[in-house]
Amino acid sequence: MSKEAVIEKMTVKDAKLFINGEYVDALSGQTFDTFNPATNEKLASVANGGTEDAKRAIDAAQRAFESGIWSKMPVEERSAILCKMADLIMEKVDELAYLETLDVGKPIKESREFDIPRAAQNFRFFAEMAKYMVHEHYEKHNVMSYAKYSPAGVTSLIIPWNLPFMQMTWKASAALASGNTVVIKPASYTPLSAVMLGEIANEAGLPPGVLNIITGPGNTVGTTMSTHPSVRRISFVGESNTGKTVMRNAAENLIPVSLELGGKSANIVFEDADLDEAVKGSIEAIYRNQGEICLAGSRLLVQESIYKQFLEKFTAEVRNIKVGDPLSEETNMGALVSQSHLETVDEYVRIGVAEGAKLACGGKRAEGLETGNFYEPTVLYDVDNQMRVAQEEIFGPVLVVIPFKTEEEAIQIANDSIYGLAGVVWTNDLRRAQRVASQVTAGLLWINCWYIRDLRTPFGGAKASGIGREGGRHSFEFYTEAKTITMKL
């Protein structure tokens, strides 16, 4: 059956809360609607959970944790269930990719070929790694000391709208592999693929209460999930100001937090770079997922000696990006998540031009696609780093291009930001690459590539881009409590 035929057979179901292994309505009986960004038509009704629903989910997770049915299950058995969840994700890859594309507005080929397979990889990676974690053990003067890493308990996972299924599984797989029980709040814009994880959990044999999913507003569900005394870990991905609110809420009960927040990453192109490679990689770094990605290389710093040449090559390629129906295999860039977000992105472009930036291409809604939230891939050049468009996270398909003279100036511009999430360096000088990578303040730095991830490495940002690191052993350290036990021999 062709990919198009598979899509035609798919349907979108209304979404309920998933608590204690069952799909249930919100206690209030209320729902809200989720919309297709490509058409602004209603996709489904979604249970509008509230404070009491969040408490129900947390209580279910707490009972499941205290029972030991998951936290005390041998790690090999836990791993087998999580690997089964990975298998089921891949069995349902077409359905999940379809829901992800409808809900987010991103191209179907990205959902099917990257997001959903990466979600399955998340589960398989942490399931396998949990079996081989090495624990510390020391002996000195006839005394033995060792560290025991125990599951922390109920874990709140608050997920953004831009990469919902992949981000949710990135957090949930590590927390579950560590033996915790979880409560997940997907973003209200994009809840559909997230809610399907409950079905996958049941089919894989995950015990009831171990995984719970609550849809609803952040000011009720999210607040409860970050203040409830039974919660022992909070992992949040989203905008920096919201992250500060989560951290303040968590402080009331001294709940440890991991925050993955915004970014305004510098993508630095030196004169000795492979220009064709840098153009291709830089386009991917800003226009993938419509620019709605925290890791986006949204500030393009280009050395003055190649500035005009690079800008011409780059802009020519940007004009070839096909914006259109996210369900089409030919589409390179889909729709922004909402009408209000499109208006915000457009307002930033207007601000940039008013500040003195020049518009190379884009800067308006895509023609012929006015019923959806489609915006042309946009390039603003001759930007000064002090402009708002260079300092504030636009979170859309808008690139600002900034010239620089020297390596030292490039580093200074890159670091002149409240954010410190990621960065990219394009150069064929290995020494320069290492110098710049070590001096740019960022949690992740790519050299001559972008968004290549080894899940064993730490992920997180500096400054306003977040607190803490996840990935590999760093995830297990966050989602567990370390206890030192010392015994005289």
Side-chain angles (χ1 to χ4, degrees), residues 299-317:
R299 285 186 298 156
L300 179 62
L301 280 53
V302 183
Q303 199 154 20
E304 280 189 355
S305 56
I306 59 165
Y307 183 76
K308 183 178 179 182
Q309 178 189 3
F310 188 87
L311 189 59
E312 288 176 353
K313 289 172 73 73
F314 186 90
T315 305
E317 290 299 319

Side-chain angles (χ1 to χ4, degrees), residues 48 82 112-113 143 150-151 183 199 229 234 266-267 294 298 336 343 348 350 364 377 385 430 454 459:
N48 192 21
L82 297 179
R112 187 177 54 245
E113 296 169 15
V143 172
S150 302
V183 180
E199 177 184 316
I234 301 169
N267 181 12
C294 56
S298 50
L336 299 181
E343 291 169 359
Y348 266 113
R350 308 278 78 77
K364 63 182 187 299
N385 195 56
L430 180 60
D454 185 322
F459 184 99

Side-chain angles (χ1 to χ4, degrees), residues 206-354:
L206 197 70
V210 173
L211 182 144
N212 307 272
I213 304 167
I214 303 294
T215 50
N219 60 4
T220 54
V221 174
T223 298
T224 304
M225 288 174 60
S226 57
T227 57
H228 197 289
S230 293
V231 172
R232 293 317 314 147
R233 291 292 185 275
I234 301 169
S235 188
F236 170 86
V237 185
E239 188 265 335
S240 296
N241 286 328
T242 309
K244 293 176 184 178
T245 300
V246 169
M247 191 171 183
R248 282 192 291 267
N249 290 341
E252 189 66 29
N253 289 307
L254 297 176
I255 307 171
V257 297
S258 173
L259 304 177
E260 294 178 15
L261 308 177
K264 193 72 178 180
S265 300
N267 181 12
I268 308 170
V269 182
F270 286 98
E271 60 189 359
D272 65 337
D274 181 319
L275 295 194
D276 290 335
E277 188 178 64
V279 165
K280 182 180 178 182
S282 298
I283 285 175
E284 178 81 356
I286 181 60
Y287 300 119
R288 184 169 175 171
N289 206 56
Q290 301 74 245
E292 297 168 324
I293 185 167
C294 56
L295 296 168
S298 50
R299 285 186 298 156
L300 179 62
L301 280 53
V302 183
Q303 199 154 20
E304 280 189 355
S305 56
I306 59 165
Y307 183 76
K308 183 178 179 182
Q309 178 189 3
F310 188 87
L311 189 59
E312 288 176 353
K313 289 172 73 73
F314 186 90
T315 305
E317 290 299 319
V318 171
R319 290 195 176 101
N320 291 328
I321 295 173
K322 181 171 175 53
V323 181
D325 178 7
L327 292 175
S328 169
E329 298 291 335
E330 305 303 316
T331 295
N332 304 125
M333 202 177 89
L336 299 181
V337 74
S338 69
Q339 175 70 26
S340 62
H341 185 51
L342 181 145
E343 291 169 359
T344 297
V345 169
D346 186 61
E347 178 62 20
Y348 266 113
V349 175
R350 308 278 78 77
I351 290 169
V353 172

Side-chain angles (χ1 to χ4, degrees), residues 412-461:
Q412 184 273 322
I413 293 171
N415 288 335
D416 184 13
S417 171
I418 64 169
Y419 296 106
L421 183 55
V424 190
V425 178
W426 300 93
T427 177
N428 282 320
D429 184 333
L430 180 60
R431 292 181 179 179
R432 167 182 278 165
Q434 293 297 323
R435 282 196 307 269
V436 176
S438 65
Q439 292 180 71
V440 172
T441 303
L444 302 98
L445 207 300
W446 287 282
I447 297 172
N448 296 328
C449 61
W450 177 77
Y451 207 9
I452 296 174
R453 285 282 296 129
D454 185 322
L455 301 189
R456 294 170 295 185
T457 59
F459 184 99

Side-chain angles (χ1 to χ4, degrees), residues 356-474:
K358 298 172 184 175
L359 184 65
C361 61
K364 63 182 187 299
R365 295 186 75 138
E367 294 178 3
L369 297 165
E370 286 80 4
T371 57
N373 310 320
F374 295 94
Y375 202 81
E376 291 185 353
T378 299
V379 177
L380 293 171
Y381 69 103
D382 287 359
V383 172
D384 185 280
N385 195 56
Q386 299 310 309
M387 293 179 181
R388 284 183 61 189
V389 288
Q391 288 293 319
E392 298 176 18
E393 186 177 38
I394 300 173
F395 216 66
V398 179
L399 178 70
V400 299
V401 188
I402 304 169
F404 70 88
K405 291 186 175 67
T406 65
E407 178 181 316
E408 292 73 22
E409 185 185 9
I411 294 168
Q412 184 273 322
I413 293 171
N415 288 335
D416 184 13
S417 171
I418 64 169
Y419 296 106
L421 183 55
V424 190
V425 178
W426 300 93
T427 177
N428 282 320
D429 184 333
L430 180 60
R431 292 181 179 179
R432 167 182 278 165
Q434 293 297 323
R435 282 196 307 269
V436 176
S438 65
Q439 292 180 71
V440 172
T441 303
L444 302 98
L445 207 300
W446 287 282
I447 297 172
N448 296 328
C449 61
W450 177 77
Y451 207 9
I452 296 174
R453 285 282 296 129
D454 185 322
L455 301 189
R456 294 170 295 185
T457 59
F459 184 99
K463 300 191 284 189
S465 290
I467 291 175
R469 296 293 184 270
E470 296 186 41
R473 66 176 179 83
H474 305 276

Side-chain angles (χ1 to χ4, degrees), residues 18-179:
F18 185 73
I19 300 176
N20 203 35
E22 297 180 342
Y23 283 103
V24 297
D25 294 321
L27 288 172
S28 67
Q30 294 180 350
T31 63
F32 64 92
D33 294 336
T34 183
F35 296 89
N36 182 345
T39 64
N40 283 311
E41 295 173 349
K42 177 182 172 180
L43 281 173
S45 294
V46 182
N48 192 21
T51 299
E52 294 306 314
D53 296 298
K55 288 179 179 177
R56 275 200 295 167
I58 293 168
D59 290 344
Q62 180 66 12
R63 288 193 302 271
F65 182 76
E66 290 176 348
S67 75
I69 195 170
W70 184 251
S71 59
K72 295 180 181 177
M73 181 185 288
V75 66
E76 292 80 8
E77 294 179 29
R78 282 206 308 263
S79 177
I81 291 173
L82 297 179
C83 285
K84 177 63 175 174
M85 291 181 71
D87 293 339
L88 289 168
I89 287 170
M90 290 311 297
E91 286 178 19
K92 301 175 188 291
V93 63
D94 287 322
E95 183 178 1
L96 287 165
Y98 176 68
L99 288 176
E100 198 79 335
T101 287
L102 285 183
D103 230 6
V104 180
K106 66 185 299 154
I108 186 70
K109 60 187 178 185
E110 282 185 22
S111 298
R112 187 177 54 245
E113 296 169 15
F114 176 76
D115 293 34
I116 307 306
R118 166 62 193 277
Q121 182 190 7
N122 288 338
F123 271 102
R124 191 164 285 113
F125 171 81
F126 285 111
E128 289 298 320
M129 189 171 181
K131 295 190 292 187
Y132 303 108
M133 286 297 294
V134 177
H135 298 292
E136 300 162 77
H137 169 226
Y138 308 98
E139 289 188 27
K140 183 179 181 181
H141 304 315
N142 208 36
V143 172
M144 179 181 72
S145 297
Y146 64 95
K148 181 177 177 63
Y149 292 87
S150 302
V154 178
T155 301
S156 289
L157 307 176
I158 303 174
I159 308 303
W161 50 258
N162 61 326
L163 297 164
F165 199 76
M166 192 269 280
Q167 290 275 19
M168 173 181 61
T169 56
W170 164 245
K171 304 294 186 179
S173 56
L176 291 170
S178 302

